[in-house]
Amino acid sequence: MTDGPSSPAVTPDAYVLGVDSGGSGLRVALGRVDGAGPLSTAVCAEPVRTGAGGIDAAHLLEQLLPVAAELLERSARGGAVGAGGAPARVAALAIGAAGMATLGERLRAELPGALAKALGVGRLALAADAVTAYAGAVGQRPGAVVAGGTGMIALGTDLAGWHRADGWGHLLGDSGGGAWIGRAGLDAAMRAHDGRRGGSPALLARLHAVFGSAEGLPGLLYPRSDRPAVLASFAPEVAACAGADEVAAGILREAAAHIAEAAAAVCPAAGPEADGGCEVALTGGLFRMGEPLLGPVREELARLLPQARVTTGTGDPLTGALRIARALAVGGLRLPRHPTMLFVPIGDEPSGRVGAVARDGQPEPCDVPADGPTGRPTDTDTSPVGHSSDISG
């Protein structure tokens, strides 16, 4: 695996692959080096397994390789060829994976060689999904991204290093994320059920509508292995009540304060590219709850970061993976490399050096659409708070 002068010249018609691996499955996008979006995409609904050794590299390959081969074959049938009539090659591939920062050792050790052998990939990047979320929302500019869904993480860079805040999971953090909001809403509902101070009859009514009896909620919730997602499923109910219920509105104001504090912690100081203020992009399913949450978030950001330019990220982590792959293919990757956040092997060994350090059996069947890009939204999640439970970690 190489990344430098020894790599073959990259032609504009060469292919790039972007991959987004998370709790809802594996998504793959095929694009061109000189393109703006994907030529086609595919979805594997089964999440990549994680075990005692971390993310299962073999399972990821079992899903990725057949899909990548099908996407390439489909483009070849469409007449895509490289210079001189040769089949266009995969110049670069970028994989963003949930848990890459803490559970990605096997991926970093095993994937570079396997992908070079199977697909002839010239250049590879392995990124935490927070990094691909950043690339999708901000691009390669200095700034910060808040990725919110079931969990919540903020990530910022001045293009010299990464700075992370939160994303520590629902037991240790993810403050202001979907699971945090949902739990606070259910707490207020249970208080109303008991007659304790701080209760919300409106949220208790929503608890009954969504889960049934209050007495049955512990038995429904505690045995579940997906408790964060169950908690997060109640967050939209809190937002729906916030207009008429002060307790629900207070929960969202507190969530907004946590979100703004995380953004302020990672926003880089103004530099020559910052135009006088830090860009803060809000991305992920959490912010699809709309003004009940976005209004307080903007107010808190204006208080803590008065010069910040708050934007809504238009690109999701799969978009970010494609952007990283394109930049890597032409030697234009500006985002800081890091051993676990953004790993780019250099040289022939998977354990090649990296750049700037941070501041802080048979393949599984996959759904490969027959006619180019899928009709899925650009954001993986279909629920209002679906994204970035995976971004924790």
Side-chain angles (χ1 to χ4, degrees), residues 189-202:
M190 298 303 287
R191 286 175 177 273
H193 172 76
D194 296 345
R196 290 179 287 147
R197 182 171 58 88
S200 166

Side-chain angles (χ1 to χ4, degrees), residues 53-367:
I55 302 170
D56 189 333
H59 189 221
L60 188 149
L61 287 168
E62 285 174 7
Q63 298 197 70
L64 171 59
L65 293 180
V67 172
E70 169 61 22
L71 293 178
L72 289 164
E73 182 181 351
R74 181 190 304 159
S75 291
R77 289 197 301 266
V81 294
R89 67 186 183 87
V90 179
L93 188 156
I95 298 175
M100 178 72 79
T102 53
L103 299 171
E105 184 174 354
R106 286 182 61 183
L107 298 189
R108 292 185 289 271
E110 299 176 27
L111 289 189
L115 291 170
K117 180 178 180 180
L119 298 176
V121 175
R123 299 171 184 180
L124 173 69
L126 302 175
D129 58 345
V131 171
T132 51
Y134 184 98
V138 180
Q140 295 204 87
R141 303 185 302 274
V145 65
V146 177
T150 300
M152 198 286 295
I153 187 172
L155 191 69
T157 183
D158 55 4
L159 301 186
W162 294 104
H163 191 189
R164 163 185 174 163
D166 213 338
W168 305 121
H170 75 291
L171 293 179
L172 298 176
D174 283 355
S175 300
W180 186 97
I181 292 172
R183 185 199 176 282
L186 290 171
D187 176 81
M190 298 303 287
R191 286 175 177 273
H193 172 76
D194 296 345
R196 290 179 287 147
R197 182 171 58 88
S200 166
L203 290 173
L204 178 59
R206 297 313 305 155
L207 184 159
H208 290 154
V210 175
F211 295 111
S213 72
E215 293 89 344
L217 183 60
L220 175 67
L221 181 64
Y222 292 146
R224 297 282 292 264
S225 60
D226 59 345
R227 282 188 299 275
V230 177
L231 292 171
S233 72
F234 197 69
E237 305 296 336
V238 178
C241 291
D245 184 74
E246 181 56 33
V247 173
I251 290 171
L252 295 187
R253 286 195 299 270
E254 188 175 354
H258 287 305
I259 290 168
E261 287 167 359
V266 304
C267 208
E273 298 186 58
D275 296 326
C278 174
E279 177 181 359
V280 178
L282 307 177
T283 187
L286 181 70
F287 299 107
R288 287 202 291 269
M289 291 196 298
E291 280 304 309
L293 178 63
L294 285 172
V297 167
R298 292 192 191 102
E299 291 176 6
E300 288 296 320
L301 285 171
R303 183 177 65 84
L304 293 178
L305 293 168
Q307 302 302 315
R309 304 186 309 281
V310 182
T311 64
T312 300
T314 57
D316 70 342
L318 185 60
T319 300
L322 265 183
R323 286 179 174 174
I324 290 172
R326 286 191 171 107
L328 191 62
V330 299
L333 184 61
R334 302 179 65 206
L335 295 176
R337 304 181 189 191
H338 179 265
T340 60
M341 298 292 287
L342 181 55
F343 176 72
V344 180
I346 297 177
D348 293 332
E349 297 296 327
S351 59
R353 62 183 176 87
V354 297
V357 299
R359 290 183 294 173
D360 188 277
Q362 291 296 315
E364 299 289 344
C366 299
D367 177 18

